[in-house]
Amino acid sequence: MFEEVRSASKDIFDALKENKSTTKLGWSLDRREPKFIQLFMPIWKWLYEYYFRVETSGWHHIPTHKKVLFVGSHNGGFAAPDMFMVMYDWFQRFGVEKPVYGLLHPKVWVASPLLSVMAAKVGAVVAHPKMAVAAFHSGASVLVYPGGVQDVFRPYYLRHKINLAGRKGFIKLALQENVPIVPVISTGAHDTFLVLANCYDIVQQLHKWGMPWLLGIDPEIFPIYLGLPWGVALGPLPHIPIPVTIRTRVCPPIVFERYGKEAAREREYVNTCYEIVRSQMQQELDWLVESSS
């Protein structure tokens, strides 16, 4: 198994060196490469079976031959191990040829050119309505984590609380494109480190007084956390997740009463749909946590 992982790692770096596309990263569906995804499968398999010992359920809820909008809860900092384990679940069940595109925050694309190339090859696109619509029109499903950094770096005591950060763009997208929402929730990944607090307000004030942002990017959050390899980390730094059991669940599809562009423009209706999704995700997470204890 370790030899497969070592060989896959070498092949991945070789593939990255061969990247010659001039297409702007994140703005094309054509950057997705099934062969490149296949290179990751041995690594994800080892993480899935031996490191995180993933337990999953609910994949039978995905409608056959129908595109959906997966809406996930984000955990575990920038490592986001639950997200990668969900991706592995998809690929091992449906094959690397069956496309699913993940919406990735625009700031991530400028933070690390190498990771951006890798993300595009795996199937990530810029988190913009234009790209989500293009993915749906191509016949693919879409994966989004609306809570973003506010969710993935939420304090440890809130690890069992769904945080979609009040963002409702995914609701408008589902209504406009007439696709069901399939929530994907997980527990365990937020135990891979310990977020103590968020000091963004303080750092934001320092920025207003003249302190520049690292890489010129407003991080939107500034956590203090305990984790490897830093011990104590300040800011949204990547970390090495400790090996804990991750449990994921694909929930039953949520279908709203009305769809269409008019429905997507009605603020009260969008708010109602948002609360339906948030509350159902919280109920599913409560059940998952209770059944895991």
Side-chain angles (χ1 to χ4, degrees):
M1 189 67 192
F2 282 106
E3 180 59 30
E4 291 183 21
V5 171
R6 187 196 66 78
S7 177
S9 299
K10 181 181 181 302
D11 291 341
I12 288 169
F13 282 112
D14 289 343
L16 288 173
K17 292 178 183 178
E18 295 173 359
N19 177 66
K20 297 179 180 179
S21 176
T22 57
T23 306
K24 190 173 181 180
L25 285 174
W27 292 99
S28 172
L29 303 180
D30 298 334
R31 296 296 292 266
R32 182 182 185 277
E33 297 181 10
K35 290 183 179 179
F36 185 78
I37 297 172
Q38 189 64 51
L39 295 176
F40 272 98
M41 294 302 280
I43 298 174
W44 285 336
K45 177 182 176 65
W46 180 81
L47 292 171
Y48 189 98
E49 295 183 356
Y50 300 105
Y51 197 82
F52 295 119
R53 306 176 302 282
V54 178
E55 300 174 8
T56 191
S57 63
W59 284 91
H60 63 283
H61 288 136
I62 299 177
T64 304
H65 306 304
K66 187 174 182 179
K67 55 194 176 184
V68 301
L69 177 60
F70 293 100
V71 177
S73 62
H74 236 345
N75 301 277
F78 283 145
D82 54 342
M83 179 185 70
F84 290 106
M85 296 300 94
V86 166
M87 290 168 56
Y88 174 74
D89 261 319
W90 171 278
F91 295 132
Q92 73 163 338
R93 282 171 167 76
F94 305 114
V96 298
E97 297 290 342
K98 185 176 177 62
V100 59
Y101 290 94
L103 302 183
L104 190 60
H105 197 290
K107 293 181 180 179
V108 178
W109 295 95
V110 299
S112 174
L114 181 62
L115 290 178
S116 296
V117 171
M118 188 180 301
K121 287 175 175 288
V122 172
V125 293
V126 172
H128 188 283
K130 173 183 175 181
M131 296 311 302
V133 170
F136 281 134
H137 288 186
S138 74
S141 292
V142 173
L143 171 65
V144 62
Y145 289 87
V149 292
Q150 285 80 8
D151 194 19
V152 82
F153 279 108
R154 68 189 184 278
Y156 184 75
Y157 74 92
L158 294 176
R159 65 193 181 282
H160 298 323
K161 295 296 181 182
I162 295 295
N163 181 6
L164 302 179
R167 298 188 178 109
K168 304 179 177 70
F170 72 97
I171 296 291
K172 298 176 183 179
L173 176 65
L175 293 176
Q176 178 182 319
E177 295 302 311
N178 192 20
V179 295
I181 285 178
V182 175
V184 182
I185 52 99
S186 73
T187 182
H190 225 61
D191 293 327
T192 61
F193 71 157
L194 183 63
V195 181
L196 303 175
N198 175 23
C199 299
Y200 179 73
D201 290 343
I202 296 174
V203 178
Q204 186 182 45
Q205 184 60 58
L206 293 174
H207 174 69
K208 291 179 180 178
W209 289 342
M211 183 189 75
W213 294 121
L214 182 64
L215 302 178
I217 301 174
D218 181 349
E220 300 180 19
I221 195 169
F222 204 87
I224 300 176
Y225 73 81
L226 304 179
L228 299 176
W230 319 107
V232 178
L234 300 177
L237 297 173
H239 74 286
I240 300 173
I242 62 174
V244 297
T245 299
I246 292 177
R247 296 175 176 86
T248 66
R249 175 166 170 76
V250 178
C251 307
I254 297 175
V255 179
F256 303 121
E257 292 183 357
R258 292 186 291 117
Y259 285 86
K261 293 183 178 180
E262 288 190 12
R265 286 194 291 263
E266 295 180 23
R267 180 178 299 180
E268 290 187 7
Y269 183 63
V270 168
N271 291 343
T272 298
C273 293
Y274 173 88
E275 184 55 31
I276 289 173
V277 174
R278 189 208 61 77
S279 61
Q280 182 162 323
M281 290 179 71
Q282 187 61 62
Q283 290 175 14
E284 293 279 359
L285 180 57
D286 291 343
W287 177 86
L288 187 61
V289 170
E290 183 178 350
S291 63
S292 302
S293 58

